[in-house]
Amino acid sequence: MSNSRRRMSVLVAGHAVNDLYQGAVPAVVPFLVAERHYSYVAAAGITVAATLLSSVVQPLFGHLTDRRAMPWLVPVGMAVAGAGIGLSGLSESYLFTWLAIALSGLGVAAYHPEAARLARRVAQDNHVGMSWFSVGGNAGFALGPVLVTPVLAFGGLAWTPLLAVPAVVGGTLTALALRGVHGAAASVADRPGRDDWGQFSRLTVVIVARSMVTFGLGTFLAIWVTHRVGGGPVAGAAALVVLFGAGAASTLLGGVLAGRWGRVRVLQVSYAVAVPAVAGIALVPGPLVYLMVALTAVALYVPFSLHVTLGQDYLPNRVGTASGVTLGLAVSVGGLGSPVVGAIAGKWDLQWGLLSLVVLPVVAWAAARGLRSPRSMRV
């Protein structure tokens, strides 16, 4: 295996480990509620500590890495993310727990901007390479509950330090594997050129709209499918498996399609397809809903890695900032849309709530129509 492929493999695995700790938080919260009798408000506060704080500071870390390359943030951020989750169960104090979860969120935020820069360099501007990097993060998020649930179900919150082990191992291996590219990544102005804030802002609208759809579906899809096809919780869980499983595969497909037809064209077509696909989830009868879920996953996840590289190319002098926004702030802001869907569902019904999501891929498609291909990775 060549050095570049080995390093990309380490970055993909490292991204999975890092984002595993994002996926771990929702899995830890039920154990906090069960053992410490947290209220719903207190439980929500734990989630806010991990997600909102991480999203806000991620562009700040990006700004810092634009001023001065900090490759050490990749293994250190991963280790801090794991340490925060590891500490979260060790004290009865709510403040201590909240701060530990917030620490984990800061680690996640510190990791992403510099990791995305290194991945872009190691991939040598290859779309498929960046798609693999994005798949790592998506897979890690999905694996969070898979790691957390059996450990805490067996040992309770006292066993949270065990959850830090992947971060320690992953951080160490990442630091060793990436030593050879640290010097190459030291140039802050990776791609000298003119920053196009207008195009970057338009891309941010696309990402926020896409994120609102995925958060809305992630929150309500299982409930809807359970009612639509019967079969109890298993039917709803199967729909989520289809959504996230097909989504992960489609992230790789995005890199292949972009190499053939260009990133902007792929974005435009993907979001055009997402409009009838999302509507189909709410409207088609019976088991056909699974087909519409799969089509929606393809439409929403094909552009995922392309958002990152487009953002980096629109802001060639601020690659860290671009990575922080496209991987962090713009994605997590999408979570604010879920309460709106819930409110519509509460006033009318869940079908109308899901239909309201159709507006968002329309917005994403309209915004993507105004995007232009940047000079770098134009093909």
Side-chain angles (χ1 to χ4, degrees):
M1 181 183 291
S2 67
N3 282 341
S4 61
R5 290 185 64 182
R6 178 175 57 84
R7 287 165 177 161
M8 179 53 73
S9 297
V10 171
L11 279 168
V12 171
H15 197 189
V17 172
N18 185 77
D19 284 17
L20 179 152
Y21 292 104
Q22 284 185 305
V25 174
V28 170
V29 167
F31 291 95
L32 292 170
V33 172
E35 288 194 30
R36 299 182 183 169
H37 310 292
Y38 284 176
S39 66
Y40 289 126
V41 173
I46 296 295
T47 302
V48 168
T51 57
L52 187 58
L53 183 62
S54 175
S55 303
V56 170
V57 301
Q58 204 160 147
L60 298 180
F61 278 109
H63 176 69
L64 290 174
T65 60
D66 286 331
R67 296 169 65 95
R68 180 179 181 182
M70 301 177 181
W72 53 268
L73 280 176
V74 177
V76 169
M78 190 190 308
V80 170
I85 294 296
L87 292 170
S88 64
L90 297 185
S91 173
E92 294 288 334
S93 166
Y94 180 81
L95 178 60
F96 181 92
T97 302
W98 193 94
L99 290 174
I101 296 293
L103 179 68
S104 180
L106 287 173
V108 169
Y111 170 90
H112 276 126
E114 194 71 355
R117 186 203 304 273
L118 285 172
R120 181 74 178 266
R121 185 176 292 276
V122 171
Q124 299 177 340
D125 283 354
N126 180 271
H127 294 294
V128 177
M130 286 302 293
S131 295
W132 273 110
F133 177 71
S134 298
V135 167
N138 290 335
F141 188 91
L143 287 172
V146 176
L147 170 69
V148 169
T149 301
V151 171
L152 298 191
F154 187 81
L157 292 173
W159 279 36
T160 55
L162 288 178
L163 301 177
V165 172
V168 174
V169 175
T172 302
L173 293 178
T174 299
L176 293 173
L178 297 182
R179 283 181 301 178
V181 297
H182 285 181
S187 173
V188 173
D190 285 339
R191 285 171 175 74
R194 181 179 177 182
D195 293 331
D196 192 336
W197 285 100
Q199 287 287 287
F200 185 76
S201 298
R202 184 178 287 273
L203 176 66
T204 301
V205 172
V206 173
I207 298 171
V208 170
R210 180 258 181 202
S211 180
M212 286 184 172
V213 179
T214 55
F215 269 98
L217 290 175
T219 303
F220 297 106
L221 180 64
I223 300 171
W224 171 248
V225 171
T226 298
H227 292 320
R228 197 70 167 169
V229 304
V234 173
L240 291 177
V241 169
V242 171
L243 178 67
F244 296 124
S250 298
T251 304
L252 287 176
L253 178 62
V256 175
L257 296 178
R260 186 162 189 168
W261 287 298
R263 290 171 290 175
V264 171
R265 181 61 176 163
V266 171
L267 257 68
Q268 292 168 346
V269 173
S270 295
Y271 289 117
V273 171
V275 176
V278 174
I281 290 176
L283 296 175
V284 300
L288 281 176
V289 70
Y290 290 106
L291 177 62
M292 303 312 297
V293 170
L295 183 60
T296 297
V298 173
L300 293 179
Y301 279 87
V302 158
F304 188 83
S305 67
L306 309 183
H307 295 154
V308 180
T309 58
L310 276 171
Q312 291 173 338
D313 287 341
Y314 287 139
L315 301 183
N317 300 301
R318 295 174 173 83
V319 171
T321 300
S323 301
V325 172
T326 55
L327 283 171
L329 182 62
V331 173
S332 295
V333 164
L336 300 177
S338 294
V340 177
V341 177
I344 294 172
K347 186 171 180 61
W348 288 286
D349 58 35
L350 186 52
Q351 185 175 46
W352 279 107
L354 292 175
L355 280 172
S356 71
L357 292 173
V358 176
V359 175
L360 296 167
V362 173
V363 171
W365 172 81
R369 291 273 295 172
L371 292 176
R372 300 187 301 271
S373 293
R375 183 177 306 171
S376 180
M377 287 178 77
R378 181 179 288 276
V379 295

